[in-house]
Amino acid sequence: METADYLDRLLQKYSGTFDIYQPYVIHGKEYPAYGYFFSHMEKYILVREANMWSADSYEHVLFMRTGEVDQALIAEAYALIKDYMEPVLVCKGEALPAQGHMYSYLTISLIAERPLSKQMQKAVRSFRFEKGYRFNTRGFSQGHIVCATMEDERVYTNYVGRKTAKLYQDNFK
């Protein structure tokens, strides 16, 4: 399967619950797509004015296509999360996210032509980004990375991104 076909099928699955923007430009560099999900939950007694609690959950997914995953691409993925996705998409340029923020998942989705080397498999598995706001009372942001390879039809994720592996693996069928 080609990376473009795989991405189209993946975006079709994501579009059921995510807002998809194609293409998406960050600091002058164009990426094939970006997906955004938002969920608001609240608990109140009898009337909405008696609100006990509310929580906002977000997920941001940036899709990237590549021939081969290398250390430079992993570093770029980390930099995108740390320098763009977290400060701009989560905090919107402020020091803290909006009131009621519970969590934000920041996912980099890599779609590669060739299989990952042992070194890159280890780099994907050990990928980590986590940031709490005010000792997590204002929520947290967590970095996920998912890599699907076309030649061997395998999916690699870091530990916190493991739940999305099934979606990506099913996309090969």
Side-chain angles (χ1 to χ4, degrees):
M1 183 182 296
E2 295 294 318
T3 58
D5 297 332
Y6 185 86
L7 178 62
D8 288 342
R9 291 174 65 182
L10 192 60
L11 290 176
Q12 198 170 25
K13 288 182 180 183
Y14 268 101
S15 66
T17 52
F18 282 69
D19 294 334
I20 304 293
Y21 302 93
Q22 287 179 284
Y24 194 74
V25 179
I26 300 173
H27 303 304
K29 184 172 180 181
E30 188 174 290
Y31 296 93
Y34 160 73
Y36 171 76
F37 172 80
F38 169 73
S39 173
H40 176 77
M41 298 176 288
E42 62 184 0
K43 179 72 173 176
Y44 54 88
I45 303 171
L46 298 176
V47 293
R48 285 191 184 262
E49 289 77 26
N51 191 344
M52 292 173 54
W53 59 266
S54 67
D56 298 331
S57 307
Y58 303 86
E59 186 167 354
H60 305 274
V61 183
L62 184 64
F63 299 90
M64 301 168 72
R65 288 179 26 212
T66 184
E68 186 173 61
V69 176
D70 57 8
Q71 195 59 44
L73 189 63
I74 300 292
E76 179 185 351
Y78 185 81
L80 280 167
I81 288 176
K82 181 179 176 281
D83 300 332
Y84 179 77
M85 294 175 85
E86 192 273 329
V88 175
L89 299 176
V90 176
C91 294
K92 305 202 181 350
E94 302 293 324
L96 296 170
Q99 188 72 28
H101 174 265
M102 186 166 69
Y103 67 81
S104 290
Y105 293 149
L106 310 172
T107 305
I108 300 291
S109 174
L110 302 173
I111 302 165
E113 287 286 339
R114 291 179 285 290
L116 267 61
S117 66
K118 295 286 185 197
Q119 181 184 3
M120 289 302 102
Q121 289 177 29
K122 185 178 179 183
V124 167
R125 278 194 312 272
S126 64
F127 187 91
R128 182 182 164 108
F129 176 86
E130 246 182 81
K131 185 171 182 181
Y133 307 100
R134 290 202 175 149
F135 301 105
N136 290 357
T137 59
R138 286 287 282 270
F140 65 93
S141 292
Q142 190 175 66
H144 298 190
I145 190 166
V146 182
C147 180
T149 57
M150 300 301 107
E151 275 185 21
D152 59 354
E153 295 188 351
R154 296 206 47 202
V155 176
Y156 305 90
T157 69
N158 61 346
Y159 183 75
V160 294
R162 71 192 180 282
K163 292 177 183 173
T164 57
K166 183 172 176 12
L167 170 72
Y168 283 70
Q169 193 64 50
D170 289 348
N171 204 37
F172 284 116
K173 298 176 184 170

